[in-house]
Amino acid sequence: MATTTTKRFAATHRVAGKGRLAGSAALGFTFDGQTYAGVQGDTLASALLANGVHLVGRSFKYHRPRGFLSAGPEEPNALVGIHRDAARKTPNVRATVQELYDGLTAVSQNRWPSLAYDVGAVNNIGSPMFSAGFYYKTFMWPKDAWAKIYEPRIREAAGLGVAPERPDPDTYAQRFAHCDVLIVGAGPSGLAAALAAAESGQRVILCDEQPDVGGALRYESGASIEGQDGWTWAQAAAASLLARDNVRVLTRTTAFGYYAQNMVGLVERVTEHLAHPDLTTPRERLWQVRAKKVILAAGAIERHMVFADNDRPGIMLVSAARTYLNHYGVAVGRNVGVFTANDSAYPAAIDLKKAGVNIAAIVDIRDNPSSALVEEARSLGIEINAGRTVTGTDGRLRVSSMTVQAKSGGPARKVPIDALLMSSGWTPSVHLFSQSRGKVAFDEPTLRFLPGIYAQDCISVGACNGADSLDATVDEGFAAGEKAVRATISAKPKVDKGETWGGGMLGASPGSGPEQIVKAFVDFQNDVTAKDIRQAVREGMRSIEHVKRFTTNGMATDQGKTSNLHGLAIAAEVLDKPIPAVGLTTFRAPYTPVTFGSIVNHAKGELFDPTRRTPMHGWEEQQGAVFEDVGQWKRAWYYPRKGEDMHAAVNRECKTVRTSAGIFDASTLGKIEIVGPDAAKFMELLYTNPWAKLEAGRCRYGIMLREDGFIYDDGVVGRLSDHRFHVTTTTGGAPRVMHHMEDYLQTEFPHLDVWLTSITEQWAVIAVQGPKSRDILQSLVDNIDISDAAMPHMSVREGTICGGVPTRLFRMSFTGERGFEVNVPADYGRAVWEAIWEEGKKHDVCAYGTEAMHVLRAEKGYIIVGQDTDGTVTPGDAGLDWAIGKKKSDFVGIRGLTRPDLVAPGRRQLVGLRTKDPKTVLEEGAQIVDDPKQPIPMKMIGFVTSSYWSENCGRSIAMGLVEGGFGRMGETLHVPMPDGVIEVEVCKPLFFDEKGERLNG
Amino acid sequence: MLLIHCPYCQEERPELEFRNGGEAHIARSRDIAAESDEAFEAFFFIRTNPKGLVYERWRHIHGCGRFFNAVRDSVTDKFLRVYKAGEPKPADVMKNLPEHSAWENIPPADQNVETPARDRVSTDGEA
Amino acid sequence: MVEAITVKRRGALDHRLETINGVSLQPAKPARRVSLRAEPDGLAPLSKALGLDLPTKPKTSALADGRSALWLGPDEWLVIDESEDAEPLKDLAEVTVLHSAVDISHRNVAIIVSGSKAADVINAGCPQDLGLQAFPVGACSRTVLGKIEIVLLRTAPDTFRVECWRSFADYAFSYLSDAARGV
Amino acid sequence: MRKYSVFAIAREAMRGHKGWDQQWTSPEPRKDYDVIIIGAGGHGLATAYYLAKEHGITNIAVLEKGWLGGGNTGRNTTIIRSNYLYDESAGLYNHALNLWDGLSQDLNYNVMYSPRGVMMLAHNVHDVQVLKRHVHANRLNGVPNDWLTPEEAKEFCPPLDISKRARYPIVGAALQRKGGTARHDAVAWGYARAASARGVDIIQNCEVTAVRRSSNGHVIGVDTSKGFIGAKKIGVVAAGHTSVLMEMAGVRMPLESYPLQALVSEPVKPCFPCVVMSNTVHAYISQSDKGELVIGAGTDQYISYSQTGGLHIINHTLDAICEMFPMFARMKMLRSWGGIVDVTPDRSPILAKTPVPGLYVNCGWGTGGFKATPGSGHVFAHTIANDNPHPINAPFTLERFRTGRLIDEAAAAAVAH
């Protein structure tokens, strides 16, 4: 990279009296470390050109020197990196779109060591080897060489800019918007449409990717509307629209995607043009606009001429040169050549000539171009070479001459130039129309695809609809605006004078045909030449999609805005088929590349995904709890004390629960209140268990299946009254269980009088488990008798606690100890928890986390759905057959359970596993085999679902799913690990208090 | 993002508020325990998956919470009809379509903009 | 009785309050809330008990001295009452017509969003049309905000009540403040 | 078939690459064939290739309604791996993986199989249990799949953020080093060229409109946009359109077709060395040879044949990508597109005979079919040639949905395919 100098270049190519930036503030910026001067209102491109700089990039494959092709978003060549600071580096920015700000720092890409001397350019010399798809034909020997040798080098050479390496500090925003009429493009037709639609008072949104409205009026010097020059009229029109509160005008806003039912995605660049953006202001804003009607006024894009060496810096589109002159006041050269196939080159030549630029010659492939413009050019003394073509150019880092020849060949003449303008005609921008699933149609006489059959409520107007003259453009736009709001508005803008053009050519120009072996570029960025496309066809590529993929034509960052039709025409020529028969490649979103950040917008950092915390979370944090993620919830995992690691903390917690008591935050469990006269009937259908006979005030462990018979969820259910159940679900299962229940209630059992309400977050749940649990709660409950006699295991009572806090008190246990679960309204959760904690301290209780909870339940063989079951396990497999109501004739899953494979022998069944060495703790997920000596692949007969060190048992304990496990009690099986085989003995999944006496102990 | 007319809320709402519920009109047998393996397979696994008119269930899960049915063209994703759960499968959905929605194809002529006079060779944009 | 309770009540959004770009975000007072479910034909006695006419038109709400009833679905209403001694659940207790009334006072948390750009702020994450025509004062709907479900009620042209479940309140508040910074 | 090599290229360079043969011919269909394959995607072309190469059946037509390789083959994110949980799946995908290794040489076409490693991230205790279950099962199945600590994971993939900043911090990862990517178009073209060279007719723009059967029910051919074409056997390999074609033969399928989207960024210099997948934050990403970040998005929730999807799906995916790799937030989405994936109830494919004599079906690959291309074609060719499945695809029957003998990777593992 060139070293930084502070020398300021003079803006050598600004033309006094031209453009609209006269008197704007001067700005300084650097490109590859070199300091330059520009003015407010410049793009990076216009500012560099004002300094006479054309060389700005290197091509993708051959690393050929490249300059500016365009003055807009279709730019394939002039891609640079913009560096605001170490973290704000943006690769692949189009210099023709990037607005200049003071201190802007730009660097060129894809070159080493420098833009002027790029080692990669050897590819250019070797280019005959690097023909289309060459990499499919080689790099195959020896076998591993591709991945080890060739691919890394190809990757190094490929790519353009450098990806940022630090997190993006900028913020982005989003807005869902609705309107009656969305107008895409604020050129003459879009503005006319907006003026008409706005009159009605309906909601109108007008967007344009440029900083100002006006579209082609930016460079059309000939236009005059309502007695003002076109540009001035456009700004006035915008002002009048902005004054209305029913109209929103969004500039610097690109409509990038047209989605279903008139949903259009826009991205607004809010601060990219500012030198010192306020960091709280979003960099970009994504708009998702739902419009009743869409008016597409997207304009047209000029095509280049396809001829030998048409890619040298200084060779650009006619409309670009004209924009630089008429808008930015910059002459792209001092001695300019022109190569055209249509009229639109002439006004450019005329404008430049009048601005004092010498026009070396106009080369027009048409035999006798004749129009007022042609005559005017002649009268200005511009040399016109009709019926001729350009067969080549010279100049290493800047074009220095063009070679002119008769189309039929013959003597060639080298014309010295320092810039070359070209135009082969205009391509209507049907991108969004096509994205809307509209079908384009080929218009033979004008060689272009135009909107054909519409799929959504939208309409194309102006140049993107094939209108060639300014008045036709304004007429279409205005009429569409009127129709969109179903009104007739009188004040249609009057076009006094405007330019008209059409026609042109597609494909390679004479002199670059199949017989010549030259580099006539079709796709500049991807270095696709006319001969690459011919070769693709010769190799059997018949579909344009094949040609595109084989040559990569149109797959660069400009997505083929200037190259697609040329490529199509060349393919059609070789195939000798009409263009529409070869097809048109699909237009896909986005129209121009869209920043990931703006699509993500608010969903970063803490807003990436909600973090759900229980009412007791703060207390748990203060106690130094370590948390684990369970779905979106943060759950206290364990509470390490000074010097304790996880292992020690969990051992202590487990011990404490069984010796005195522990308290546990169970608030995340899902809870559903089921109310109505048919509540019990509904429960009978949704759970395998019988419910009809469950008395009010009692609880039961319930299992829910999917229709296929596999376990879906489980939980303890309390019956509060005949018509009211309090159902609990797993933490992760809560939402889907609710949906599953609603589904059956609404669509299969609508006759039942019952309603479901989620109460998960209404109640904070404090589990108090252990021999001392009753003593602790005794003094806190206000009006509930919790003696064993009055409130046996698996019962529920409603009352108050801690002086009036309503509670639903469950007597239940997930530890095998005497236990309670105190439900209180969430806002009181923390206070009641603290009260229980204070009382508990008298009994040396501890708070325990989810890990200890897991160990304690495993000691008792209680399953965790999702850990000991995995969506392929039936109640029978899990040893829960007892929970299926044998007399029931229907419940969800009853039929799935009897399918052949679910009743076949050899199913995996949940058993306990004791390691031969009690100190060895198995790894969860470890696989179980019968014969550890068998060769790989081994026959696996099961795996470990749960495994822990149990301090209470003084040994490791585990559960696993094992083929025919119930029949293997006492058998020795093997768990082959990388570092040796572990012997395990199959046992009942019950390791502590086998008789279950402690529930009342 | 689709725009879906909820027959209970009686207006079009964004797809983000809805959850698709799969094929509609697959009734669960009143005596499911007695179904044959084949019948159960047909009920639980086999789906029409048509390229064309799809009869499907939606739930306005983040709206009114109701399940309802819709007829949609799976090629264009256009909704042709929505109706409440329990209502019979509409006989001829092509008749009396919902009044003009954002999906409607409005020929340019009706929008009082002339299609350029030249006759155009229609080509599928999705080549 | 609320008064009887001695232990401290803690809200999910205690101490959060922001005004950004003229939009103020503040937690609503604790309220009594009931999820009321009933068949449309049995509404009269329920309306009588609640002292307001339960709305039957989608997306509408009814308001009578500090108590509002929001239509959430054809058989579902959200009753909200912020007055100290209100006991909507008790008011419904005696009604015999088929219905389900469930206390969700603590399940939901509300954020009041007000200011001239309030609708824009909510539209940063809510895909519904919040124009005054489509969503007038008194309009209400269950919908989404970013990645969570909310219930939205427009209480004035420039003021919305955003209800969400307790554990989502943090997210909702942060989302709205981030959105407010972005308008 | 003229051999491809660097020497061939050099020779052609001398004469402007005008001497290359057609990679495949585009003939008009003959009256009848021994075997018709419906669908000229990777799986269909591979089936034809192996029928010709290993079973001596060359009188084959591959019918394609569009252009070959234009379906999911040309629309997927080209991830290759075989670290599946169940023996059946591991067997099938590992068979494919072994064929990927050496496929370029076999086809004399550089499919750019690049074993750069496929890393699956664990973000919580449940992920660890699930991925370890995979790692252990893979090891005993002879499928190397290593368990990595967060530090080891970051060493292998430097862009990973293993700090606690993340909403779902990385707590470990499973890495299949032989997993990686390949060039999707090259796979379709390589098989097409090799099959064509062995006499297979690839007939594009030929849509099947009906499947004809004799009085005894056996297939006899198909009606197409190019007329009737006779066949003794028919293999349906039509991904998203399988239900439609099978309906023509009177077979109702346990399939649903969903739009699946993917996207690429603008090309940048090498910055991402492997494939990373995260089931918990729903994202997978790699970088192509061209320099584009290749990102797989999710499916829409409804059945559709539109090959387009909603912006909110892309939105959800990029949330996850930028959460895991916040430095990519300034990158730009260059192109997004949709495909149609056919999904079975157990997310595993169907590679089997059907109730209709002479009719065979290869479908249900959901979002993960590309990786299986060579193995799928290889065993499906065996199934058609012998009217009997290869041991490797024997479990992937249609009947399993009746018996309940599912191969439910999704339920068992909750790992994205």
Side-chain angles (χ1 to χ4, degrees), chain A residues 89 93 134 169 230 283 300 461 506 539 548 679 883 894:
Chain A
K89 297 184 173 177
V93 176
F134 73 100
R283 178 182 175 223
V461 296
L506 291 174
E539 290 198 40
K548 167 185 160 189
I894 190 169

Side-chain angles (χ1 to χ4, degrees), chain D residues 196-412:
Chain D
S196 183
R198 288 174 181 272
V200 173
D201 286 355
I202 301 166
I203 300 158
Q204 304 181 70
N205 302 307
C206 178
E207 178 164 17
V208 171
T209 54
V211 175
R212 296 261 209 96
R213 300 165 63 179
S214 66
S215 49
N216 64 10
H218 197 289
V219 299
I220 56 173
V222 294
D223 291 334
T224 74
S225 51
K226 294 180 189 261
F228 174 79
I229 309 175
K232 299 188 181 66
K233 294 178 174 181
I234 298 173
V236 174
V237 197
H241 286 80
T242 305
S243 294
V244 179
L245 285 156
M246 294 301 285
E247 189 74 49
M248 296 176 188
V251 182
R252 281 170 58 78
M253 299 291 289
L255 289 172
E256 291 187 308
S257 297
Y258 297 96
L260 176 71
Q261 295 184 79
L263 65 104
V264 294
S265 74
E266 294 183 330
V268 287
K269 292 296 177 188
C271 65
F272 204 82
C274 60
V275 179
V276 167
M277 310 175 72
S278 167
N279 188 54
T280 294
V281 299
H282 307 295
Y284 50 105
I285 178 172
S286 65
Q287 187 176 20
S288 72
D289 287 345
K290 201 163 180 267
E292 299 159 329
L293 295 176
V294 181
I295 295 167
T299 58
D300 277 279
Q301 55 173 335
Y302 48 84
I303 287 174
S304 178
Y305 291 80
S306 64
Q307 287 197 337
T308 64
L311 176 59
H312 60 292
I313 303 292
I314 299 275
N315 185 316
H316 182 79
T317 297
L318 288 177
D319 289 358
I321 292 296
C322 292
E323 162 66 11
M324 282 198 294
F325 307 104
M327 75 285 286
F328 290 155
R330 292 180 94 82
M331 297 282 290
K332 302 193 209 79
M333 173 169 78
L334 172 59
R335 197 164 61 246
S336 68
W337 64 91
I340 310 168
V341 298
D342 51 321
V343 180
T344 61
D346 65 0
R347 307 289 189 282
S348 288
I350 298 166
L351 276 154
K353 300 172 64 172
T354 71
V356 177
L359 183 67
Y360 309 83
V361 68
N362 176 344
C363 65
W365 294 95
T367 62
F370 178 76
K371 65 174 78 73
T373 305
S376 159
H378 189 259
V379 296
F380 195 52
H382 177 105
T383 307
I384 293 174
N386 301 291
D387 190 38
N388 225 344
H390 186 286
I392 287 177
N393 65 306
F396 296 87
T397 63
L398 262 170
E399 291 71 27
R400 70 181 191 265
F401 299 101
R402 177 160 40 76
T403 63
R405 185 154 201 71
L406 305 186
I407 307 163
D408 202 332
E409 292 279 333

Side-chain angles (χ1 to χ4, degrees), chain B residues 4 10 15 21 26 29-30 32 35 38 43 50 55 58-59 64 66-67 84 89 95 110-111 116-118 120:
Chain B
I4 303 171
Q10 295 161 31
E15 184 190 339
I26 301 176
S29 163
R30 286 273 152 73
I32 193 165
E35 294 279 289
E38 289 70 17
F43 159 70
Y55 292 78
W58 288 89
R59 184 185 178 201
C64 65
R66 301 292 88 194
F67 278 83
K84 296 180 176 180
K89 203 167 178 172
K95 283 220 181 72
D110 299 3
Q111 308 200 7
R118 324 165 209 91
R120 298 172 176 181

Side-chain angles (χ1 to χ4, degrees), chain A residues 88-100:
Chain A
R88 293 181 174 81
K89 297 184 173 177
T90 314
N92 304 338
V93 176
R94 289 153 297 166
T96 53
V97 169
Q98 174 64 52
E99 294 175 64
L100 196 66

Side-chain angles (χ1 to χ4, degrees), chain A residues 261 290 437 440-443 450-451 454-457 459 483 580 584 707 739 743 746 748 890-891 895, chain B residues 1-3 28 35-37 57 59 65-67 76 100 102-103 105 108 110-111 118 120-121 123 127:
Chain A
Q261 285 154 294
R290 185 75 71 169
R437 304 188 204 173
V440 294
F442 191 69
D443 181 48
L450 293 169
Y454 283 79
Q456 300 199 40
D457 191 351
I459 184 68
K483 192 71 179 187
L584 177 66
E707 204 65 81
H739 182 63
D743 191 344
Q746 290 185 40
E748 297 294 348
D890 194 7
F891 59 80
R895 179 58 184 86
Chain B
M1 197 202 318
L2 302 178
L3 201 54
R28 185 179 186 272
E35 294 279 289
S36 69
D37 288 334
R57 310 184 321 138
R59 184 185 178 201
R66 301 292 88 194
F67 278 83
T76 63
H100 176 62
W103 248 143
N105 167 23
D110 299 3
Q111 308 200 7
R118 324 165 209 91
R120 298 172 176 181
V121 196
T123 303

